[in-house]
Amino acid sequence: MGCFSDVLRSAFTKCKASELENLLKQWGYLTEDELLQLNFSKSKMCVFRDVLSLCQEKNRKRETTDRIDQFDLHCTKESWQSDPEKFKKKLQQQVDLYFDSTASVSVTLQDGALWCRLYIPTGNHNMNSNTVYLIYYPHCQCFAISAFKVSVQNFLFQGLSNAFGYATLTSMNLSGLHYKSLFQLAFNKLGETSFGLTKDVQSLPFMGENRRKRKAEEIEMEPNMRSEDIAMKRKRSLSLETAFGNFEQPVLESLQFKVEVKFMGRKNLKNFSEDGEPIRCCVKFEGPSVLEGVRNLASCGLANEPLPKHLLKVNSLGTNNFVLKSKDKS
């Protein structure tokens, strides 16, 4: 038993006492009854001995060894992803591998996120153009990155893939200034395609920013005012709540649609000759929060209800740049 005992001890030394309970629950090898037997107010070594005893009582040496190896790996990842200095060291190793010795890395932890600054000289002495900023929440499936030179993209992405342990990196084509909203929108996309919808979104550091309940409609708050179309307004309100929820929307400063569709008004033009080419244009919404703006337009009756799918689904598609084309009937 000494072999997996040493591995388990090593895993315990890598994590904080305050994190043990959650880590052991995530591990999933101990039953709920076994977890209740542990006293997490004791020292780490006391908890270690109790966990070791429970593992030994299972009398499944091979399975226990494999599961403790997994626990050690999880604690190792937990350790470097949450520690700015360890993360900096890991990232610096990749930067040194792909770029010259003058490249540098700085990392700090703020609001639960790791903020990274990478200086990658490329022959241009302009400091700003050679600097890349990156924001990463530990254990999140995505990160935010500032603009960078195309010439460094391949090496930069390979280094980041190695550092994060990703097989591939894919751009979500999602941009903006409010980084917590960008992470929330990215999670909405990943939550539907990879993990399933989370039951407790408020536990995520970047989800609390926009989880404020919407205020009631002013028309309903003023007792002396009477609406002539209250039934229609209530129907519209329920429709918008179904589409957008009853929370304030994530902040996006822009929403762009490149449109390539067939001209639909030829019946009203006598001399119109269709050459088969689509009508092309670009429609761009801009403002402090375009998703809130779109919702408010519909709420006030200034946008047709129900809203088209390409507006209703922005919250879950993980991008703010779209191409709209006519359906091919062939």
Side-chain angles (χ1 to χ4, degrees), residues 74-84 86-87 90 109 112-114 136-140 163-166:
H74 182 70
C75 291
T76 302
K77 190 175 181 182
E78 180 87 21
S79 176
W80 74 257
Q81 286 193 341
S82 304
D83 188 311
K86 290 181 181 178
F87 186 74
K90 194 172 185 69
L109 183 67
L114 290 166
Y136 173 69
Y137 283 95
H139 314 299
C140 184
F164 290 117
Y166 297 155

Side-chain angles (χ1 to χ4, degrees), residues 19-76:
E19 299 171 343
L20 276 177
E21 185 173 3
N22 283 334
L23 286 172
L24 289 170
K25 286 180 179 178
Q26 292 170 15
W27 183 32
Y29 190 47
L30 301 180
T31 66
E32 290 186 10
D33 289 339
E34 288 171 336
L35 286 169
L36 289 174
Q37 296 177 38
L38 301 175
N39 185 352
F40 291 100
S41 63
K42 294 182 179 180
S43 68
K44 271 202 304 184
M45 283 300 100
C46 286
V47 178
F48 157 72
R49 286 191 289 269
D50 291 341
V51 172
L52 178 62
S53 177
L54 290 171
C55 289
Q56 290 170 341
E57 289 173 7
K58 290 180 182 290
N59 200 24
R60 300 195 294 264
K61 184 176 181 181
R62 177 170 294 182
E63 181 186 0
T64 299
T65 300
D66 289 343
R67 295 301 296 271
I68 287 178
D69 287 346
Q70 293 173 10
F71 182 66
D72 178 55
L73 182 62
H74 182 70
C75 291
T76 302

Side-chain angles (χ1 to χ4, degrees), residues 84-94 105 107:
E85 286 303 314
K86 290 181 181 178
F87 186 74
K88 175 185 175 181
K89 183 178 180 180
K90 194 172 185 69
L91 202 54
Q92 185 72 59
Q93 289 174 345
Q94 295 301 319
V105 176
V107 180

